[in-house]
Amino acid sequence: MFCCGKNGNQQAQRNRMTRFRFSAEEVQEMHRRFQRMTNGSNFLTKNQFRDNMGLLGLETVQVLSDCLFQIIDEDQDGKIQFNEFLAYFDKITYGSQDEKAEISYKLIDQNRKGYFTLRDFQQTMQALIDSWVVMTGTAITNEIRDHLEKRVTYIFTQMDKNNDEKVSFIEYKGILASDPSLLDIFEFLRKGITISIKEATLKQDQIVLSEFYLIKDQAVDLFEMMIGLQQNRYSTTVQAKPNLISSLMFCQKKMKQNTNSQFGIQYLMGEEIDALSLRMSSTINVNKTRQQGAVQTSQIICATSQIGPFIHRGDQEIPIKIDYNLQSKESEETLDPELTDGLEKINYMTEDQIRDNYKEALIKIHELKQQTQQSLDRLEKMYQKKLEEFNIKKKKDIELAEKRRATIANINKKRKTALSVQFGHQNWNLVLNMMIGIQMAVKSVNALSDYEVTLKDFKLKYYFELMPKRTGNEKATFKVCKFFDYAPQVFNHIRKMFFIDNDNYLSSIGPETLLSSILKGDLSTLSELTSSGKSGSFFYYSQDGIYTLKTISKTEFTFMRHILYNYFKHLKDYRQSLIIKLFGMHKIILDDKKIHFIIMSNVFKTSHEINLRYDIKGSLHQRKTPNNADYTVARKDLNFLESHEKINIRIDKQSELLTQLCKDADFFAQNNIIDYSLLLGIHEINFLQTSSRTEIIHEQDQEDISIIQSKTGDKIYFFGIIDILTNFNTKKKIEYCCKRCFQGPDISAIPPHQYAERFKRFITNMFRNNI
């Protein structure tokens, strides 16, 4: 079975295999991977290991791959034997938390000292971050690097429980068990960048609000002054600007009393207001002296000491003494020429002209006051909405994190290692490039948060080159990987419609997931569900089970682009649609091979086991799964009829569900789509496990009709319509004509409107209540 040379070595290796937790089939698959990596040799060299690591094996990021090689090479002879290779994967797949923590610890304690220092930890984290930067082409500013250094230091201090500036394995595995998210440096890095963008936007909003507060208060004070509600401290020739000072001082007092305001008005407090008030006060007093003309300088100084200038500190008004030299050019420059001209014109106006202008100004100021208040109200509502959305998102992030942890735990129980995409897998480099491409594509639209989708967006595609920096030796080995992102703003909007934050999206399918798992001794990317050999297509789900990635044919890809506008409009009009949600549409060219793929939601994204699943088309011809098939294999239409199963839910929920399902079926008919099916999952609640029932009820959204609890409370139903990209084209029409003659009307390939009506009838009859 194994290429070990001598029979004795072969037997010894078989004996050592008994200590691993792999099944015989898994061992065979792992051996095939090892043979692929070594080109048929009995051992794996460091250079071969780098080549098989794909992008992670490039010279610019090979520090990380070399560290992994050293961990796997247990006897440190510079070669990885198959039993060492198997031992590593045995631990990261079926190992306990302590075993995984040991692998992770060795990645930091590379010299096997039995402890690591802050410097050791910084070097490892820097290698991971450098790998991420090179892989994704992301630029990290000095400010972000400073935050990262502080974060790394903080993590170390949290691990160093006894404060001896060393972290032992006991301390390390303790922190991994109690707070596994602490080491998510990439989550911190990505969200740190995103938060910087969001904080900049919020700060800009706060500044605009502050400016509106100032303008509003100026208008109010000026209006009150003009109608005689305020006592003017200055002569009538300088009424406008002195009132601006009082409004600034009033605004400052207001802001100091509301430093905890949710609108963040404190950004224009303190020295900024003080300096502005000081400049304005100085200008007013200079202007006043110019109007008085014959007043002596000593009198001016005396006057200013009584009425200003001053600044506010708390409840105190602190006078500022200024030397007003009327001949100073600096003082002359502070006088607004436009105001000077206006004041001069007043001297030549008649009393009636002044009265008429005063009335007109009063009306305009009153309108300004009203308009400013209305604008301010709108801005405050907008800001409150942003804060509310932020709080909702924060709550959803927490719930999603809890759900993700539970879902991962559930998936890990059922996952087959042979199907997990890890280094050595034939699609390892492809999946790695897909993850990087998705990350770059999402980042390219992340900054455009309030973008409105237009018709041109449905035809747009973005192009990315994923190849990182290469050395001369690597040019012959690695080719540029081309990545295309189709209709990015459209899918970004779809993600928003269903409350999917781009940060959380990348947490599931971005490359940071891979690098973080390496650090935690749990190497994982995507996990393969099925694979069809002829077309080379495959179907994967993200490591947390929330999203699925499916390769599709060029024909399906072209058809999806054709119906994308109608699909988008349908989802926008019917948020409760059961149609599978697409969150990304991409093409990748690697090794001269073009691969089209889409990112979709997972209908069964739950932490609870799906005990029974059905794939229902409404067709009866050859629609049966063998009864002895594994329970994870979907049963079909005939199986459902033979089981006498009936979906039993509340009548109002049933009506809502069937109404939406009919609208979805009509959409398919209008867009010439057939061969879609309803994916039905059933989770059976064990009443002995009372916590299970509580958790599953908490998991449901009361308005979501894709997850509904049975009327008796013992089951949870999951609904979703899948396989939506089959166009009733010429090929299908020929198939329909031929099969109908020989196989009857119950075949799957029938015209779209007939398919939709048959689909609706069959689904309606699946329910216990007749509507």
Side-chain angles (χ1 to χ4, degrees):
M1 178 179 174
F2 305 111
C3 302
C4 299
K6 297 181 180 180
N7 292 334
N9 292 336
Q10 188 177 28
Q11 184 61 41
Q13 189 176 36
R14 284 201 183 106
N15 293 336
R16 294 183 68 181
M17 294 290 296
T18 57
R19 65 188 176 95
F20 300 130
R21 287 155 282 197
F22 289 120
S23 66
E25 293 78 10
E26 288 174 328
V27 171
Q28 290 178 1
E29 172 59 26
M30 297 301 293
H31 189 257
R32 282 192 291 268
R33 289 189 188 182
F34 187 77
Q35 289 289 294
R36 190 184 304 119
M37 295 174 71
T38 62
N39 295 323
S41 176
N42 294 333
F43 55 83
L44 185 65
T45 66
K46 182 175 288 189
N47 285 333
Q48 287 176 326
F49 186 77
R50 290 172 179 171
D51 290 342
N52 281 278
M53 287 295 290
L55 294 176
L56 290 178
L58 294 177
E59 186 173 325
T60 46
V61 292
Q62 65 187 205
V63 173
L64 188 58
S65 66
D66 289 351
C67 290
L68 278 175
F69 182 87
Q70 187 178 6
I71 291 174
I72 301 173
D73 182 19
E74 293 180 348
D75 58 10
Q76 301 294 297
D77 65 349
K79 300 174 184 178
I80 296 178
Q81 306 293 336
F82 178 63
N83 63 312
E84 293 174 324
F85 180 79
L86 202 59
Y88 173 78
F89 278 101
D90 179 68
K91 289 179 180 178
I92 67 171
T93 305
Y94 294 116
S96 63
Q97 291 301 319
D98 284 357
E99 288 176 299
K100 293 181 179 181
E102 183 182 2
I103 292 176
S104 175
Y105 190 78
K106 288 179 180 179
L107 192 65
I108 307 172
D109 179 23
Q110 297 177 22
N111 296 324
R112 307 294 187 266
K113 297 176 294 187
Y115 65 87
F116 63 80
T117 63
L118 175 60
R119 181 176 176 80
D120 297 328
F121 187 58
Q122 288 172 334
Q123 288 176 344
T124 302
M125 300 304 287
Q126 190 61 53
L128 284 169
I129 293 169
D130 289 344
S131 300
W132 180 78
V133 168
V134 173
M135 287 167 58
T136 62
T138 303
I140 298 182
T141 64
N142 291 331
E143 182 180 3
I144 293 176
R145 285 193 179 276
D146 290 340
H147 282 296
L148 282 172
E149 289 178 5
K150 292 176 182 177
R151 178 67 178 179
V152 169
T153 303
Y154 168 77
I155 295 172
F156 182 85
T157 56
Q158 292 296 109
M159 293 187 293
D160 184 17
K161 295 297 184 183
N162 59 5
N163 298 319
D164 63 349
E165 299 184 354
K166 299 176 184 178
V167 175
S168 66
F169 177 66
I170 299 297
E171 291 174 317
Y172 185 74
K173 73 175 184 178
I175 201 68
L176 280 183
S178 62
D179 189 6
S181 63
L182 185 66
L183 289 177
D184 280 338
I185 194 70
F186 298 103
E187 185 80 358
F188 171 80
L189 178 61
R190 184 179 58 254
K191 289 202 172 184
I193 295 173
T194 305
I195 288 171
S196 296
I197 295 173
K198 291 179 180 178
E199 285 182 346
T201 303
L202 289 175
K203 186 172 182 179
Q204 186 63 37
D205 291 344
Q206 291 169 339
I207 292 173
V208 171
L209 278 169
S210 301
E211 292 172 351
F212 263 93
Y213 268 115
L214 289 173
I215 295 171
K216 185 201 76 170
D217 289 330
Q218 291 168 22
V220 170
D221 287 355
L222 188 55
F223 178 76
E224 291 179 351
M225 182 196 70
M226 292 184 71
I227 61 176
L229 292 180
Q230 288 188 359
Q231 183 65 35
N232 182 24
R233 299 183 297 178
Y234 303 93
S235 63
T236 57
T237 57
V238 288
Q239 283 181 345
K241 286 212 170 185
N243 196 61
L244 183 59
I245 298 173
S246 62
S247 65
L248 283 170
M249 296 302 179
F250 172 77
C251 185
Q252 182 191 14
K253 285 182 177 180
K254 180 176 180 179
M255 287 186 289
K256 285 187 178 290
Q257 294 170 0
N258 294 277
T259 55
N260 294 324
S261 170
Q262 64 177 335
F263 302 110
I265 307 303
Q266 62 269 25
Y267 276 98
L268 289 181
M269 287 178 54
E271 296 180 358
E272 295 179 16
I273 286 291
D274 295 340
L276 181 58
S277 303
L278 181 58
R279 289 197 302 272
M280 297 296 293
S281 300
S282 304
T283 302
I284 293 305
N285 284 284
V286 172
N287 293 341
K288 181 179 177 182
T289 60
R290 293 193 175 191
Q291 296 295 326
Q292 292 174 341
V295 182
Q296 299 296 321
T297 304
S298 59
Q299 293 175 319
I300 297 173
I301 296 175
C302 181
T304 58
S305 66
Q306 296 173 2
I307 63 173
F310 55 87
I311 60 173
H312 284 272
R313 290 296 185 197
D315 296 328
Q316 296 181 334
E317 294 181 350
I318 304 174
I320 303 295
K321 294 183 179 181
I322 300 176
D323 184 9
Y324 294 99
N325 186 351
L326 299 182
Q327 304 301 321
S328 170
K329 291 183 179 180
E330 182 178 353
S331 298
E332 291 176 0
E333 290 174 356
T334 60
L335 189 61
D336 189 342
E338 187 177 351
L339 177 61
T340 304
D341 293 340
L343 295 175
E344 289 294 331
K345 288 179 181 178
I346 292 176
N347 293 329
Y348 297 99
M349 288 182 183
T350 64
E351 189 173 322
D352 289 339
Q353 288 176 322
I354 293 175
R355 186 181 294 107
D356 291 341
N357 289 343
Y358 192 91
K359 289 179 180 179
E360 184 179 353
L362 184 62
I363 293 172
K364 289 183 178 180
I365 290 172
H366 185 262
E367 292 176 351
L368 173 64
K369 185 188 72 158
Q370 290 181 320
Q371 292 172 1
T372 306
Q373 184 62 53
Q374 291 171 359
S375 298
L376 186 56
D377 290 342
R378 285 196 299 268
L379 283 172
E380 287 182 348
K381 287 180 181 178
M382 289 169 58
Y383 199 90
Q384 284 181 354
K385 185 178 179 181
K386 283 187 179 181
L387 289 174
E388 184 179 351
E389 289 175 351
F390 177 79
N391 291 330
I392 292 173
K393 176 187 172 301
K394 185 176 180 181
K395 182 180 178 182
K396 284 185 176 293
D397 283 350
I398 295 173
E399 293 175 352
L400 184 62
E402 292 295 331
K403 187 174 180 180
R404 179 181 285 119
R405 280 194 287 269
T407 306
I408 292 172
N410 184 48
I411 289 173
N412 285 340
K413 294 175 184 177
K414 299 177 286 184
R415 177 179 296 167
K416 292 184 178 180
T417 305
L419 298 179
S420 182
V421 184
Q422 299 157 336
F423 61 83
H425 190 285
Q426 59 183 354
N427 289 324
W428 161 262
N429 206 38
L430 173 63
V431 168
L432 186 55
N433 277 283
M434 285 178 168
M435 296 172 77
I436 294 172
I438 292 168
Q439 195 253 9
M440 294 181 71
V442 171
K443 278 178 56 180
S444 70
V445 297
N446 206 19
L448 304 175
S449 55
D450 297 323
Y451 186 87
E452 278 296 325
V453 175
T454 60
L455 285 175
K456 68 177 183 180
D457 290 311
F458 292 89
K459 300 186 186 220
L460 283 179
K461 67 177 178 180
Y462 291 172
Y463 166 73
F464 304 92
E465 286 190 357
L466 306 187
M467 186 63 198
K469 297 178 181 178
R470 295 167 291 176
T471 65
N473 295 331
E474 292 168 339
K475 286 182 179 179
T477 305
F478 291 94
K479 295 181 180 179
V480 171
C481 178
K482 298 178 181 179
F483 188 90
F484 297 86
D485 183 27
Y486 289 81
Q489 292 295 351
V490 176
F491 289 106
N492 186 52
H493 199 87
I494 292 175
R495 292 195 293 269
K496 284 185 179 180
M497 279 196 293
F498 296 99
F499 306 103
I500 295 175
D501 179 78
N502 283 341
D503 289 328
N504 291 327
Y505 184 65
L506 291 177
S507 293
S508 296
I509 56 180
E512 298 91 340
T513 302
L514 167 65
L515 295 172
S516 293
S517 67
I518 290 176
L519 179 62
K520 295 177 181 179
D522 185 18
L523 186 59
S524 62
T525 52
L526 303 176
S527 295
E528 189 174 13
L529 292 179
T530 59
S531 178
S532 53
K534 287 186 178 180
S535 63
S537 64
F538 52 86
F539 194 97
Y540 289 89
Y541 59 78
S542 59
Q543 56 90 25
D544 55 12
I546 294 177
Y547 304 102
T548 56
L549 183 154
K550 181 182 181 182
T551 61
I552 59 178
S553 68
K554 183 179 179 180
T555 301
E556 292 174 318
F557 194 85
T558 303
F559 179 63
M560 184 63 219
R561 292 193 71 190
H562 175 70
I563 66 167
L564 182 56
Y565 176 80
N566 294 339
Y567 173 80
F568 175 80
K569 189 175 183 303
H570 184 78
L571 292 186
K572 197 171 182 181
D573 292 342
Y574 304 104
R575 300 295 176 93
Q576 294 282 23
S577 173
L578 298 173
I579 299 175
I580 193 76
K581 310 305 183 299
L582 304 186
F583 300 127
M585 190 172 176
H586 314 286
K587 179 176 73 175
I588 191 169
I589 302 177
L590 182 64
D591 297 328
D592 299 324
K593 185 178 181 181
K594 295 181 182 179
I595 298 173
H596 303 84
F597 67 98
I598 52 178
I599 309 294
M600 308 180 296
S601 59
N602 182 6
V603 176
F604 300 146
K605 55 179 184 293
T606 174
S607 59
H608 298 272
E609 187 173 17
I610 303 299
N611 304 107
L612 192 60
R613 61 196 75 198
Y614 290 97
D615 183 291
I616 305 295
K617 291 181 182 288
S619 169
L620 300 179
H621 180 68
Q622 296 182 347
R623 295 289 297 164
K624 184 176 181 180
T625 301
N627 293 328
N628 60 353
D630 189 89
Y631 78 99
T632 60
V633 178
R635 271 52 181 171
K636 298 180 182 178
D637 306 61
L638 289 173
N639 298 101
F640 188 88
L641 294 177
E642 292 174 359
S643 70
H644 303 292
E645 176 85 28
K646 288 291 183 180
I647 301 173
N648 184 21
I649 58 177
R650 285 187 357 228
I651 191 71
D652 58 329
K653 281 293 183 181
Q654 178 179 326
S655 176
E656 187 179 358
L657 178 69
L658 290 177
T659 299
Q660 183 58 58
L661 186 136
C662 289
K663 291 176 181 177
D664 292 338
D666 291 340
F667 165 79
F668 293 132
Q670 293 162 9
N671 288 275
N672 215 36
I673 299 172
I674 63 169
D675 240 12
Y676 48 88
S677 58
L678 176 72
L679 186 60
L680 168 65
I682 303 175
H683 168 71
E684 299 173 350
I685 299 176
N686 187 342
F687 285 104
L688 297 178
Q689 300 174 350
T690 54
S691 61
S692 174
R693 185 172 184 178
T694 304
E695 290 169 7
I696 198 71
I697 293 173
H698 177 71
E699 187 177 272
Q700 296 177 77
D701 184 342
Q702 293 301 317
E703 297 181 358
D704 186 5
I705 58 173
S706 65
I707 305 177
I708 303 177
Q709 189 172 13
S710 65
K711 188 185 291 186
T712 54
D714 60 340
K715 294 178 181 178
I716 299 293
Y717 299 103
F718 297 82
F719 303 94
I721 300 177
I722 60 172
D723 298 333
I724 64 171
L725 296 179
T726 302
N727 180 22
F728 192 66
N729 52 21
T730 304
K731 180 181 177 181
K732 285 293 181 181
K733 289 176 182 177
I734 295 174
E735 179 185 342
Y736 164 67
C737 294
C738 295
K739 287 187 176 180
R740 182 178 176 84
C741 295
F742 298 101
Q743 299 174 356
D746 288 330
I747 59 174
S748 179
I750 62 176
H753 287 280
Q754 296 179 32
Y755 191 103
E757 291 303 317
R758 184 180 67 183
F759 181 76
K760 289 188 283 188
R761 283 196 306 271
F762 192 98
I763 301 299
T764 302
N765 291 330
M766 292 172 63
F767 289 83
R768 175 161 296 181
N769 302 311
N770 293 321
I771 299 178

